[in-house]
Amino acid sequence: MHKPSSYELFRGFLTVGLYGFGGVLPWARWMMVEKRQWVDTVTFNEMEAFAQAMPGPNVINLSVVVGARYQGLPGALAALGGLIVMPFLIVITLGLAYDRWGAIPAIHDTLAAVSAAAAGLVIATAAKMLKPMITRRSAVRLLFCALAFTGVGFLGYSLVWVLLALAPVSVWLAWRRTA
Amino acid sequence: MSVSRILINLLTHFGFLSLVAFGGGNAVLPEMHRMVVEQMHWMSDGDFSRLFAVAQAAPGPNVLMVTLIGWKMAGLAGALVATLAMIVPSSVAVFSLSRLWMRYEHTRITRALREGVVPVTLGFIAAGGLLLAKAADTSWPFFCVTVAAALFTYATKYNPLWALGGAALLGIAGVI
């Protein structure tokens, strides 16, 4: 295993940020485990589980964990900065283009079509997460999923309240299951 | 609303959202929609879904929707403030807890947290998908595009960017 410097952390996550179209995590795994060999598979899985259990996007959390592990605060800042800087600049450029040309009918229509497809991507993401949950033993999990969906999607409740109401119970039940 | 008021709103709203963003950027999509479209009336339903489409066309982690909302409301300053507000609070939490977590073996807590939170965030992501579809599918051809893109992404291993590209081609050709 190679212990990366802050500069290497920045460089590594810079490329991850650029590659990650439609899912950054596979690239992060490939870069950290296979290409640069900063961590082994077991450590990566542990870090990933932690990154997923915390609020915030998975990959961003992962960059903070890895950076902190090897170089403390400077490392976390370097990894996080590397990950976010290029996507930030690219999306700003796209935003600029949208402001300038978004009202042109042809572009407006194209974006309308792309936004219909983008809704489909989000639905597919949910479906992919749902698939492993449809087993006999996970009726409780499906119930929490349905309650969250109904509360936010149909009843228009604030996500914060729904989360505060459901998550503690759901986590407590999961804690008991893992005993 | 003055620019400084907008910046303060972006900072407080997204800063708070950051700490409840279990499940990542897409899980808080319904709350973003609620805030930006319904409460603050910063943009229309259609604007929201088109901005989301633009954010999908960029690489990187899926918090870029926040960047674009900030950009639309207050230019570069808005983009910076919104992005940092969405990233910094959760990252500070991760940074401080990762030390503790690495020192001890907290696998059971991590597992219970993840297993308990995933079903709830899954419900949020599905609700976000529904909201976006409601905003984008103004006629049945658009609805068909949503269904086709969902099936393509769900059932194949191709990069989902192809689905966006395909839809863009249909749009350019004036088919839908």
Side-chain angles (χ1 to χ4, degrees), chain B residues 14 29-51 65 69 73 131-132 135:
Chain B
F14 289 139
L29 211 52
E31 192 62 17
M32 270 184 220
H33 181 270
R34 218 174 96 95
M35 166 201 160
V36 172
V37 179
E38 289 162 37
Q39 289 182 334
M40 312 295 287
H41 302 289
W42 278 349
M43 58 185 77
S44 71
D45 227 8
D47 278 334
F48 187 85
S49 71
R50 280 189 291 277
L51 274 192
M65 177 62 177
I69 293 172
M73 296 315 299
L131 281 172
L132 286 173

Side-chain angles (χ1 to χ4, degrees), chain A residues 137-176:
Chain A
R137 289 181 48 225
S138 41
V140 180
R141 270 172 273 190
L142 288 174
L143 175 72
F144 277 98
C145 178
L147 286 174
F149 177 68
T150 314
V152 169
F154 283 110
L155 304 176
Y157 291 151
S158 164
L159 180 141
V160 179
W161 293 118
V162 177
L163 183 76
L164 284 178
L166 296 180
V169 187
S170 181
V171 170
W172 179 68
L173 288 172
W175 168 264
R176 284 190 32 185

Side-chain angles (χ1 to χ4, degrees), chain A residues 122-139 141-142 145, chain B residues 118-119 122-123 126 150-151 153-157:
Chain A
V122 177
I123 292 168
T125 306
K128 278 184 184 171
M129 287 170 73
L130 186 66
K131 201 180 167 193
M133 228 182 265
I134 305 178
T135 60
R136 267 193 161 186
R137 289 181 48 225
S138 41
R141 270 172 273 190
L142 288 174
C145 178
Chain B
V118 161
L122 167 50
L151 286 175
T153 312
Y154 180 76
T156 72
K157 286 200 180 283

Side-chain angles (χ1 to χ4, degrees), chain A residues 20 46 52-54 56-57 72 87-88 92 95-96 99 110 113 115-116 120-121 126 128 131 141 145 148-149 152 156 158-159 170 175, chain B residues 21-22 27 30-31 34 49 59-60 63 67 71 79 83 90 94 97 99 101 108 114 116 119-120 122 127 146 150 153-154 167 172:
Chain A
E46 275 172 18
Q52 229 179 58
M54 295 294 289
F88 179 85
I92 289 291
L96 206 68
D99 275 356
T110 303
S115 63
L121 301 199
K128 278 184 184 171
K131 201 180 167 193
R141 270 172 273 190
C145 178
F149 177 68
V152 169
S158 164
L159 180 141
S170 181
W175 168 264
Chain B
F22 291 95
E31 192 62 17
R34 218 174 96 95
S49 71
V63 288
T67 312
W71 166 261
T83 310
S90 60
V94 169
L97 288 176
R99 292 269 162 114
W101 172 78
R108 191 178 165 204
R114 195 169 43 142
V120 180
L122 167 50
T146 301
T153 312
Y154 180 76
I172 291 170

